Amino acid sequence: MSEIAAAVDAPADVSLISMDGDTFEVSGIVAHMSELVKSICEENEDDEEKQEIPLPNVKTVVLAKVIEFCKQYQTEKMSEIEKPLRSAVMGEVVQEWYANFVNVEQEILFELILAANYMDIKPLLDLTCATVASMIKGKTPEDIRKTFNITNDFTPEEEAQVREENKWCEEA
């Protein structure tokens, strides 16, 4: 395909607006990694003016990270994430850039999961969920509670009952 034909087929640039009101100018190719954005653009493709798409569920700092991911993905596609994870070390699961990308505070990681789900960006959702899975892999319930700051609201008797009822899970 010639460069002219590719330019004609390329989606138009869009403005993504975060919950905080900040605007990001993004190429159509990067923006269309989000199925949400893509469908909004397709609904309004007759409009001559540049699309402005509000994303009321995504904070500025998170939207900036989402865009960073999408740009990188256009440059270098992320490796397929094997399930179950072959390692708890993300650098052994995906390329170094992607492993470093998700090496963030837990709060940001969970916000990225919510944004990826809301914006419907499957590779980002896969990466962020795999990161959480790697944080759980091989840990005891007590370790998981510590990692995610979860309080145990079971009495010792209730916990023993749940363990007994689900013994088959641990045997597998």
Side-chain angles (χ1 to χ4, degrees):
M1 175 167 27
S2 73
E3 289 179 32
I4 296 170
V8 170
D9 292 341
D13 293 355
V14 297
S15 297
L16 302 178
I17 305 167
S18 72
M19 125 186 340
D20 311 308
D22 294 311
T23 301
F24 294 84
E25 304 298 325
V26 182
S27 77
I29 292 169
V30 168
H32 282 211
M33 278 193 65
S34 163
E35 291 297 325
L36 172 71
V37 171
K38 183 178 177 182
S39 67
I40 292 171
C41 287
E42 287 171 354
E43 287 173 13
N44 301 318
E45 67 186 348
D46 294 339
D47 293 351
E48 292 297 316
E49 56 197 57
K50 183 183 235 176
Q51 297 260 354
E52 288 190 352
I53 300 173
L55 299 167
N57 297 354
V58 186
K59 295 177 183 171
T60 295
V61 66
V62 176
L63 183 55
K65 291 282 288 176
V66 168
I67 293 167
E68 179 186 0
F69 173 89
C70 292
K71 285 179 178 177
Q72 176 65 25
Y73 195 87
Q74 293 304 315
T75 304
E76 174 191 19
K77 298 247 185 289
M78 183 177 69
S79 305
E80 184 75 22
I81 297 174
E82 293 179 26
K83 296 168 191 99
L85 290 180
R86 64 176 182 254
S87 172
V89 178
M90 287 306 293
E92 296 174 9
V93 177
V94 293
Q95 298 98 312
E96 182 181 357
W97 187 93
Y98 292 102
N100 291 334
F101 177 81
V102 288
N103 187 13
V104 294
E105 293 176 20
Q106 248 183 49
E107 182 180 350
I108 296 294
L109 180 61
F110 290 127
E111 296 255 355
L112 282 168
I113 290 171
L114 293 172
N117 187 50
Y118 170 68
M119 294 177 70
D120 197 0
I121 305 172
K122 187 179 182 329
L124 180 56
L125 188 60
D126 288 347
L127 176 64
T128 51
C129 289
T131 302
V132 172
S134 75
M135 296 165 76
I136 294 171
K137 189 172 178 68
K139 292 193 174 171
T140 65
E142 292 76 27
D143 290 340
I144 294 168
R145 284 190 198 102
K146 284 180 194 165
T147 300
F148 297 107
N149 198 22
I150 300 169
T151 55
N152 183 1
D153 56 356
F154 284 124
T155 65
E157 295 79 21
E158 290 172 325
E159 190 165 341
Q161 180 184 352
V162 169
R163 285 185 191 276
E164 184 61 35
E165 289 171 356
N166 295 290
K167 195 180 254 181
W168 63 269
C169 291
E170 295 174 18
E171 294 169 357

